[in-house]
């Protein structure tokens, strides 16, 4: 694919998975998540056929969608499609070799895989964390147990309105590289790798230059 040289460069530039559970910075742990993806990109069987863009379906997963507000079936699909576009664009433009971009992409990928936002959570220290826990009565907002930490409700914004008190078991922010998250996300991980490795965008929403969600949605509404 166009940008494959950048994939090889990226593989050499990123910290390996040994960064997980070590004394590596949490930023390098986020970058190491990308190294797992790059390894898969280099090994996948390339996809050459593009999925038909049927506006009555979610452009990311292909299931029927009736919504007239979003082309996607839900937030997880929107976020996955966004990540694929960002990564493909980064390869083509070369900015994916920038360390700060790698950190951001690593965070996004981990969230897409179901691991939450551990880096963003790590920035919520002492008083702000205790303030949110106190506001929520010291109880986990998922199961009602004693709250021990906080996590994000929607986006990665660290404002109190976007945070909730949770116990360790219910916290969505899992350590980078946690085996349970990776095991559950195998199929999604493989699909992301294939869609990035493909010379031509597999789905309409994979191409940043041509993807127009408003036009896609307008076609659905007009049917």
């Amino acid at each position: 694919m166009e940008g494959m040289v950048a994939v090889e460069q990226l593989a050499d530039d990123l910290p390996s998975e040994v960064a997980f559970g070590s004394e590596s910075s949490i930023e390098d742990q986020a970058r190491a998540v990308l190294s797992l993806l790059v390894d898969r990109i280099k090994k996948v069987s390339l996809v050459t056929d593009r999925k038909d863009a049927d506006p009555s379906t979610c452009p990311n997963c292909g299931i029927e969608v009736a919504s007239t507000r979003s082309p996607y079936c839900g937030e997880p699909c929107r976020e996955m499609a966004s990540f694929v576009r960002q990564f493909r664009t980064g390869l083509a433009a070369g900015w994916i070799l920038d360390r700060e971009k790698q950190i951001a992409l690593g965070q996004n990928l981990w969230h897409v895989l179901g691991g939450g936002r551990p880096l963003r959570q790590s920035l919520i220290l002492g008083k702000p964390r205790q303030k949110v826990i106190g506001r929520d009565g010291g109880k986990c907002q998922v199961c009602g147990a004693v709250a021990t930490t906080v996590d994000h409700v929607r986006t990665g914004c660290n404002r109190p309105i976007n945070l909730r008190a949770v116990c360790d078991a219910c916290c969505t922010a899992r350590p980078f590289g946690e085996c349970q998250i990776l095991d559950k996300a195998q199929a999604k991980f493989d699909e992301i790798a294939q869609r990035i490795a493909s010379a031509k965008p597999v789905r309409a929403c994979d191409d940043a230059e041509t993807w127009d969600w408003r036009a896609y949605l307008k076609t659905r509404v007009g049917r």
Side-chain angles (χ1 to χ4, degrees):
M1 66 172 287
E2 181 181 354
M4 186 56 76
V5 172
V7 170
E8 298 294 342
Q9 291 177 311
L10 184 59
D12 293 336
D13 189 49
L14 292 170
S16 70
E17 60 187 285
V18 298
F20 302 135
S22 70
E23 295 182 357
S24 300
S25 68
I26 194 167
E27 289 84 3
D28 278 346
Q29 291 179 40
R31 294 171 65 223
V33 175
L34 289 186
S35 72
L36 299 179
L37 177 60
V38 170
D39 286 343
R40 294 182 183 228
I41 291 172
K42 292 162 64 177
K43 297 175 183 177
V44 298
S45 298
L46 297 184
V47 177
T48 57
D49 296 330
R50 178 165 173 161
K51 308 283 187 186
D52 290 336
D54 181 352
S56 68
T57 66
C58 172
N60 184 73
C61 71
I63 70 170
E64 291 285 335
V65 180
S67 173
T68 58
R69 300 182 58 127
S70 170
Y72 301 100
C73 61
E75 193 66 9
C77 271
R78 187 194 68 78
E79 292 174 340
M80 181 173 168
S82 176
F83 176 81
V84 171
R85 283 196 305 277
Q86 287 178 333
F87 201 102
R88 288 176 63 90
T89 299
L91 288 176
W95 56 250
I96 203 164
L97 297 176
D98 179 87
R99 184 177 184 275
E100 294 304 313
K101 299 290 188 182
Q102 293 169 3
I103 293 171
L105 282 173
Q107 290 186 89
N108 291 343
L109 175 58
W110 191 242
H111 175 65
V112 167
L113 294 177
R117 299 180 172 90
L119 195 154
R120 293 295 297 165
Q121 187 202 43
S122 73
L123 301 178
I124 309 168
L125 303 176
K127 288 185 178 180
R129 179 173 301 194
Q130 291 305 315
K131 187 174 181 178
V132 171
I133 292 176
R135 180 201 66 193
D136 291 341
K139 294 183 178 180
C140 174
Q141 298 303 289
V142 178
C143 71
V146 175
T148 54
T149 187
V150 300
D151 71 2
H152 297 87
V153 178
R154 290 175 292 276
T155 69
C157 173
N158 279 354
R159 294 177 60 192
I161 194 173
N162 194 53
L163 300 173
R164 63 179 180 178
V166 291
C167 64
D168 289 342
C170 293
C171 183
T172 59
R174 311 311 302 173
F176 287 118
E178 185 177 272
C179 291
Q180 285 185 319
I181 298 298
L182 294 174
D183 289 345
K184 291 179 181 179
Q186 288 296 312
K188 183 181 290 186
F189 219 168
D190 287 340
E191 181 186 349
I192 290 172
Q194 284 196 326
R195 285 165 61 176
I196 290 173
S198 177
K200 296 181 179 179
V202 174
R203 293 187 174 275
C205 58
D206 292 348
D207 189 347
E209 292 186 3
T210 61
W211 173 237
D212 185 340
W213 69 268
R214 291 181 179 84
Y216 189 91
L217 193 58
K218 185 176 181 180
T219 303
R220 176 187 297 166
V221 174
R223 287 192 167 195

